[in-house]
Each structure stands twice: as structure tokens, then as C-alpha cells.
């Protein structure tokens, strides 16, 4: 999964955060445009994106039903058992936003991999580190989460994880060396474009 990183890890993480925040302000046209950008930027992550959607299908369905049936408005086809038209609109929009966020997450993992995610987090949180080691410990713990997050489906379910039956990871998580690359002008340009896109999503 981990390949050549095209962006500085911290820059990629900032871009992902702007996408997450901007998605909450986008309507259908904006979401469609973002999907096109994600497909072009992370076409190799399409399989992971689909896998995330499949794994989240019950969450997506539950979200859609809750919003569709609990949003006040006019009943669809004027049937008493049907969701409201306003609810269908809001449910579809929110579900679409969540699917786009899953695509952004798939792109981030494709772009960085586990090692790049740790580097990006360390670069983003390093100004808050100070003299203590709390930030470093947080980065190490999150790296363990990343190790589990993108594991292939090996039959492990949430009940096993809650029961403490998750498999023990390898010794590669015992010590983590973070070696951040230098920022390039292309990284700065991409971050600026992402921030401008976020501002446009909020203002428009």
C-alpha cells in the first residue's frame, strides 16, 4: 500500500483536513466535483474506497433512514408510512457527504501509507510538543490504530476486538523513527489551493 509519496506527509494531512471540513458545506454539485477530484488524484485508491463503503453500508443505511424519517416535511407520495421529501433530500445529502469522506480517507492512506501518516501527524502536532512527550505518545498510539484500520478483512469482528481478541501486531510498532522530508514549493501550492477551496465552500 505504501508507495512513493507525492506530497509532504503534513501537507497531505492538511489537504485531507480541509476536504473533511469543506465537505460539510458542499451541496450535490460541489460533492460531485469533489468526487471527480478524488478519482483523478487517487484513482489507485478506488478499491479501498469501495471497501470502506461496503464496510460502512449498515451505518450509511441507518443514517439515511434516521434522517429521512425524522426530518419534518411533506410525506413522499403522501403516504403516512413514507419518509418526508425534505428528509429524503437531507438524508441523501448527508450520506453522500459521508461517502465522499470515505473516499478522502482512502486517498490519504493511498498517498501516505502507515509510515507517512505517522510522519504527517508528527509534523502537524510537533509545534504542540513542547518539553513533554504526550504528543509523541499520541502519535505512537495513533500509529497502532492505523495498523489495524487498513488490515485486510481477516474475519475479525467488532465483538472480538472489544473482547481483546485482536491479533498482536508485529514488533515494528515497538519503536517508530520519524524522518520528515523537507517541504517543497509544490506542497505549499497544493495546501494553499486546498485552503482556498475550503474558503470557497464555506462562502458559497
Amino acid at each position: 500500500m505504501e508507495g512513493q509519496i507525492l506530497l509532504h506527509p503534513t501537507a497531505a494531512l492538511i489537504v485531507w483536513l480541509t476536504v473533511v471540513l469543506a465537505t460539510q458545506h458542499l451541496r450535490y454539485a460541489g460533492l460531485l466535483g469533489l468526487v471527480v477530484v478524488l478519482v483523478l488524484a487517487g484513482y489507485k485508491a478506488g478499491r479501498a474506497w469501495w471497501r470502506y463503503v461496503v464496510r460502512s453500508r449498515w451505518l450509511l443505511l441507518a443514517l439515511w433512514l434516521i434522517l429521512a424519517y425524522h426530518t419534518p416535511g411533506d410525506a413522499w407520495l403522501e403516504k403516512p408510512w413514507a419518509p418526508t421529501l425534505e428528509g429524503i433530500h437531507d438524508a441523501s445529502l448527508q450520506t453522500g457527504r459521508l461517502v465522499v469522506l470515505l473516499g478522502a480517507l482512502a486517498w490519504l492512506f493511498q498517498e501516505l501509507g502507515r509510515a507517512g501518516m505517522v510522519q504527517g501527524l508528527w509534523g502537524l502536532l510537533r509545534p504542540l510538543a513542547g518539553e513533554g512527550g504526550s504528543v509523541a505518545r499520541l502519535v505512537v498510539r495513533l500509529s497502532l490504530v492505523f495498523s489495524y484500520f487498513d488490515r485486510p478483512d481477516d474475519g475479525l469482528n467488532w465483538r472480538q476486538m472489544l473482547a481483546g481478541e485482536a491479533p498482536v501486531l508485529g514488533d515494528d510498532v515497538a519503536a517508530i523513527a520519524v524522518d520528515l522530508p523537507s517541504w517543497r514549493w509544490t506542497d505549499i501550492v497544493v495546501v494553499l489551493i486546498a485552503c482556498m477551496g475550503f474558503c470557497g465552500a464555506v462562502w458559497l
Side-chain angles (χ1 to χ4, degrees):
M1 177 178 173
E2 300 180 17
Q4 181 181 5
I5 298 177
L6 301 180
L7 283 176
H8 188 282
T10 304
L13 196 58
I14 293 174
V15 170
W16 178 76
L17 288 173
T18 60
V19 170
V20 170
L21 296 175
T23 301
Q24 309 309 312
H25 300 275
L26 295 177
R27 312 296 290 181
Y28 290 109
L31 289 177
L32 181 59
L34 190 52
V35 167
V36 173
V37 172
L38 286 173
V39 170
L40 294 177
Y43 62 93
K44 294 182 180 179
R47 183 176 298 179
W49 188 353
W50 174 250
R51 186 169 68 249
Y52 295 166
V53 171
V54 171
R55 288 181 177 179
S56 306
R57 61 189 181 277
W58 298 117
L59 172 62
L60 295 171
L61 177 60
L63 174 66
W64 194 94
L65 291 174
I66 291 173
L67 292 176
Y69 277 94
H70 287 79
T71 301
D74 300 322
W76 179 59
L77 298 179
E78 299 183 353
K79 301 294 184 180
W81 49 264
T84 64
L85 294 174
E86 292 79 3
I88 292 175
H89 177 272
D90 290 345
S92 301
L93 181 60
Q94 294 298 334
T95 303
R97 287 171 174 168
L98 185 54
V99 170
V100 171
L101 290 180
L102 291 175
L105 189 62
W107 167 81
L108 184 66
F109 273 92
Q110 176 66 38
E111 177 71 19
L112 298 183
R114 179 187 152 209
M117 288 289 292
V118 174
Q119 290 175 333
L121 280 170
W122 176 246
L124 192 64
L125 299 177
R126 186 169 54 177
L128 305 177
E131 298 297 331
S134 58
V135 171
R137 287 194 294 270
L138 174 62
V139 171
V140 171
R141 289 171 182 171
L142 287 175
S143 71
L144 299 177
V145 175
F146 299 149
S147 299
Y148 283 115
F149 185 86
D150 207 41
R151 289 173 60 89
D153 189 4
D154 51 8
L156 185 69
N157 58 42
W158 62 272
R159 292 184 180 87
Q160 291 175 292
M161 296 186 71
L162 289 178
E165 299 174 7
V168 178
L169 298 177
D171 295 334
D172 59 328
V173 299
I176 298 177
V178 180
D179 184 18
L180 278 176
S182 300
W183 279 70
R184 299 166 297 182
W185 67 270
T186 52
D187 300 320
I188 299 174
V189 170
V190 171
V191 169
L192 289 177
I193 292 175
C195 292
M196 291 172 61
F198 166 70
C199 293
V202 173
W203 291 338
L204 298 179

